[in-house]
Amino acid sequence: MNESDKDVTDPELAPRLTDEQWHRLCARGAIRYVDDSEILFTTGQRDYPMILVEDGEIEVVRDSPAWMDEEVIAVMDPRSFAGELGLLNGQRAFLTARAIGPGRVREVSRSDLRRLLAEDDELGDIILHALWARRESLRRGSAAMTLKIVGAAGSPGFLSLRRFANRLDLVHMAVELDLDAPAHPLHARYAPGDLPIVFLEGQPIVRATPGMLAEQLGLSYEPGDEDVVDLVVIGGGPAGLASAIYAASEGLSTVLVDAVAPGGQAASTSRIENYLGFPFGVSGDSLTGQAVLQAIKFGVRVCAPCEAVSLRSLGDDLGARMSSYLVRRIREESRIRVHLGANVTGLDGDAGLSTVVIDTVGPVQARGLFCFIGAEPATEWLAELDRDDAGFIRTGTDVTRQSLERWQTMGREPLPFETSVPRVFAAGDVRRGSMKRVAAAVGEGSSAVASVHRALAAHPVA
């Protein structure tokens, strides 16, 4: 991959795949033979493929707006691929790809690309890193001129457009106008009442709003995009993003909608210092930005600004108690044979295991047997707490009536996450009814602290 007239050495922008990785990637694409100057995808195209170059070269071009010439952004040589993050989030193309001479390429559709990211961890990570790194590189270059936001400094409309563009990591540039400086060339064509103005591929949108821009970019949700979705998450803050990520990673078709832009209040926080795993703190924008990228990776359709749509949930037999993406990998792995409704009835072998007896198929040669029997909470030492038959701790309103007798002298009932013993709290996997997920555990742990504060305020420790 060449950018302008110089080689790009950044391995994230131009990863060099091994023979085996390249063959796996090519297996996902359909062959297409191209002639000189043939267009592979064009500016404004909504559903366009990732292009794998097998033979020949293609160039990625920023089209010519009214005030400047066309510019070649990059040249893709054999065993490279063309595309950036818009391939995954549904954004219309803002660059054009065309062939330099005759050649042969492969086209990988958006659905096949998402399937690759879900099924091939090694190759998927390489491609996702490249798509994201290219988006960040394009944001810093002349491609940013394809989306130009112009407005009065500090005006609400201008700030809302900038917030929308930044939260969605759009390739853009923003120009602040001083309305008291009549020498600006825009004053010759537009009145102050036309602001803010968005120039999209050189075409003006006066009195622009985030909703108008989202519609033009293909980022707004339109009825009919999906006939039925499994889950609609309303609100793109940390809780909504976590919900969308978990749902999509477990095979649910998921739409995330937000009235403004994903990130919520957290995205406006300059520094978060008490989030698990970040000892030096992390900006809210960075944290939620990575969460949005993660959501897009798993196939979440992120739509903003827009309202809610309908929902329906689905399931399957093998996936009743297993994540859907694991089910898919198991079913597509030719070396795995699935026996539903089966039981292990016997083991046989001399120095080691050699045979497993399954009631539905009989003896099966095997050198190992792995039993996934579920989690067992380490709560044996907490016999004084109210627990269920499996040992999980009851908290809050789940505490049984007979355990509430000791609370009469307290003048209150257990707080959320508080156990049957006052001022003893449980959160995470040991708590009865918890989600048994990392993000849920982080949320429970932080939420339990609020109950701790309430308990201490009611009965201060001497």
Side-chain angles (χ1 to χ4, degrees), residues 337-347 355-366 369:
R337 303 180 73 175
V338 178
H339 301 283
L340 295 174
N343 297 284
V344 175
T345 59
L347 305 176
T355 304
V356 173
V357 182
I358 302 175
D359 58 0
T360 57
V361 296
V364 176
Q365 292 186 350
L369 175 67

Side-chain angles (χ1 to χ4, degrees), residues 99-278:
I100 304 176
R104 184 182 68 195
V105 302
R106 289 181 184 257
E107 296 179 325
V108 181
S109 67
R110 178 180 290 116
S111 59
D112 286 334
L113 178 57
R114 283 178 169 170
R115 193 172 296 114
L116 181 149
L117 294 179
E119 297 172 353
D120 192 326
D121 291 339
E122 179 193 34
L123 193 54
D125 284 350
I126 293 172
I127 291 173
L128 183 64
H129 275 294
L131 299 182
W132 175 78
R134 290 175 181 181
R135 169 62 65 98
E136 295 305 303
S137 177
L138 290 168
R139 279 165 56 90
R140 298 188 295 268
S142 62
M145 297 181 184
T146 60
L147 175 56
K148 187 176 181 180
I149 302 172
V150 180
S155 67
F158 180 61
L159 292 176
S160 67
L161 283 166
R162 293 193 65 178
R163 177 176 56 189
F164 171 75
N166 286 326
R167 293 253 189 110
L168 289 177
D169 205 27
L170 299 179
V171 176
H172 73 287
M173 64 183 302
V175 178
E176 295 183 350
L177 291 183
D178 182 357
L179 298 181
D180 296 327
H184 197 283
L186 280 178
H187 285 292
R189 297 184 60 187
Y190 302 101
D194 293 329
L195 299 176
I197 303 173
V198 168
F199 291 91
L200 184 60
E201 307 299 338
Q203 299 300 313
I205 304 173
V206 298
R207 296 179 292 279
T209 65
M212 296 166 63
L213 178 56
E215 184 175 355
Q216 292 296 316
L217 295 176
L219 295 175
S220 60
Y221 187 82
E222 299 175 3
D225 284 353
E226 291 92 358
D227 291 335
V228 176
V229 295
D230 300 316
L231 176 67
V232 176
V233 178
I234 304 172
L241 285 166
S243 298
I245 289 168
Y246 271 102
S249 70
E250 295 182 355
L252 297 182
S253 58
T254 304
V255 173
L256 172 68
V257 300
D258 193 281
V260 181
Q265 183 178 347
S268 302
T269 304
S270 60
R271 186 176 178 84
I272 300 173
E273 297 190 5
N274 58 353
Y275 193 80
L276 183 69
F278 293 90

Side-chain angles (χ1 to χ4, degrees), residues 294-315:
Q294 191 174 16
I296 292 172
K297 169 190 173 181
F298 284 117
V300 176
R301 179 78 194 280
V302 179
C303 304
C306 67
E307 302 297 328
V309 292
S310 59
L311 60 90
R312 194 180 86 186
S313 58
L314 304 170

Side-chain angles (χ1 to χ4, degrees), residues 303-345:
C303 304
C306 67
E307 302 297 328
V309 292
S310 59
L311 60 90
R312 194 180 86 186
S313 58
L314 304 170
D316 58 51
D317 293 336
L318 185 59
R321 300 184 66 182
M322 182 184 295
S323 296
S324 182
Y325 75 93
L326 293 176
V327 174
R328 185 171 58 248
R329 292 186 182 186
I330 289 172
R331 285 176 171 164
E332 294 178 354
E333 174 54 68
S334 60
R335 295 172 296 178
I336 297 178
R337 303 180 73 175
V338 178
H339 301 283
L340 295 174
N343 297 284
V344 175
T345 59

Side-chain angles (χ1 to χ4, degrees), residues 34 43 47 127 221 270 288 297 315-316 333 370 375 385 392 459:
V34 296
T43 297
D47 190 13
I127 291 173
Y221 187 82
S270 60
T288 57
K297 169 190 173 181
D316 58 51
E333 174 54 68
F370 298 86
L385 298 186
F392 291 98
H459 300 280

